[in-house]
Amino acid sequence: DSGVTQTPKHLITATGQRVTLRCSPRSGDLSVYWYQQSLDQGLQFLIQYYNGEERAKGNILERFSAQQFPDLHSELNLSSLELGDSALYFCASSVGAGGGSYTEAFFGQGTRLTVV
Amino acid sequence: GQNIDQPTEMTATEGAIVQINCTYQTSGFNGLFWYQQHAGEAPTFLSYNVLDGLEEKGRFSSFLSRSKGYSYLLLKELQMKDSASYLCAVSPHNTDKLIFGTGTRLQVFP
């Protein structure tokens, strides 16, 4: 158990809908990262939050947004869902401060999103 | 930007040694990570290299050559449970995010 909790584990929804994925980081970790993993692709970095503020952005679609709350949990919102959004969505956390020092990232078990 | 290449699939026999290579092109990075991921599960951290050389951790070792943009993960005394995907990742300069390669799927046969 990495200490990172993601809910729900599975989600099935229709195209055009909106869903929210939730992540609770390890105790003491200030950084939360979201990654998308499709069947034919590796882990794609979406976005990082550090202590409530957006710190880095990757290939995140405009239909997707995220936030980190004062209690440090994070939510990833996916809207106007398309079939191609079906993937595993992982959250990871670390103590990282964005300065580039070594910080091991611990991954949650992921949310498997299926868009039908 | 970053470009990370690793073989798509490899096979090996139980008890053997396997080396998984990773080459990368990046404008600057903090370090190179290796993660293990069993199908449908979370990636788990294996190793981290920031300086050139070999880091040994039990049956697993990782090597880095920054000048050559090259790393490898060495797995010794392979066990069936080592069948998994092995992900090479770099942490770009002044960030904490990880940029992953597409992973190498290793199958270990009896």
Side-chain angles (χ1 to χ4, degrees):
Chain A
D1 182 6
S2 67
V4 179
T5 304
Q6 288 188 248
T7 56
K9 286 189 169 49
H10 301 276
L11 198 49
I12 301 176
T13 190
T15 54
Q17 295 298 305
R18 182 180 188 275
V19 297
T20 298
L21 312 184
R22 184 188 167 101
C23 170
S24 294
R26 289 189 324 150
S27 177
D29 284 357
L30 298 179
S31 270
V32 169
Y33 312 79
W34 286 98
Y35 290 86
Q36 179 193 55
Q37 188 173 39
S38 305
L39 261 178
D40 56 350
Q41 291 188 6
L43 278 162
Q44 300 289 318
F45 170 73
L46 295 178
I47 198 163
Q48 176 198 2
Y49 278 81
Y50 174 75
N51 204 21
E53 293 188 4
E54 183 184 302
R55 186 57 63 100
K57 217 168 186 176
N59 299 323
I60 188 167
L61 299 172
E62 284 192 13
R63 299 184 286 110
F64 296 0
S65 65
Q67 54 184 328
Q68 186 179 28
F69 295 86
D71 67 352
L72 300 178
H73 91 270
S74 177
E75 292 180 356
L76 179 67
N77 301 297
L78 315 176
S79 62
S80 303
L81 284 167
E82 302 175 359
L83 295 178
D85 297 328
S86 295
L88 260 173
Y89 290 84
F90 286 104
C91 168
S93 76
S94 76
V95 298
S101 55
Y102 164 57
T103 52
E104 179 183 339
F106 295 85
F107 283 77
Q109 290 301 309
T111 294
R112 183 173 293 281
L113 174 67
T114 304
V115 182
V116 297
Chain B
Q2 292 80 30
N3 190 31
I4 301 169
D5 289 312
Q6 44 182 138
T8 305
E9 288 193 8
M10 297 183 71
T11 59
T13 306
E14 199 174 11
I17 299 173
V18 71
Q19 178 174 312
I20 302 174
N21 296 325
C22 171
T23 58
Y24 62 90
Q25 294 171 331
T26 178
S27 51
F29 83 167
N30 301 317
L32 190 136
F33 295 76
W34 284 95
Y35 277 79
Q36 180 192 60
Q37 185 180 26
H38 287 95
E41 297 184 10
T44 54
F45 171 80
L46 289 178
S47 70
Y48 168 73
N49 294 72
V50 63
L51 300 175
D52 286 1
L54 189 68
E55 293 282 341
E56 296 189 76
K57 214 180 194 183
R59 293 190 300 115
F60 294 0
S61 304
S62 58
F63 172 83
L64 176 66
S65 168
R66 294 179 73 120
S67 62
K68 294 181 179 171
Y70 168 68
S71 173
Y72 67 72
L73 180 69
L74 193 71
L75 293 77
K76 302 175 190 173
E77 300 168 17
L78 279 171
Q79 302 175 8
M80 297 297 291
K81 67 177 182 179
D82 297 329
S83 293
S85 287
Y86 292 86
L87 312 176
C88 174
V90 298
S91 177
H93 192 55
N94 282 335
T95 75
D96 297 312
K97 66 183 181 184
L98 293 173
I99 306 299
F100 285 88
T102 51
T104 298
R105 186 164 166 254
L106 174 67
Q107 286 187 285
V108 180
F109 292 100

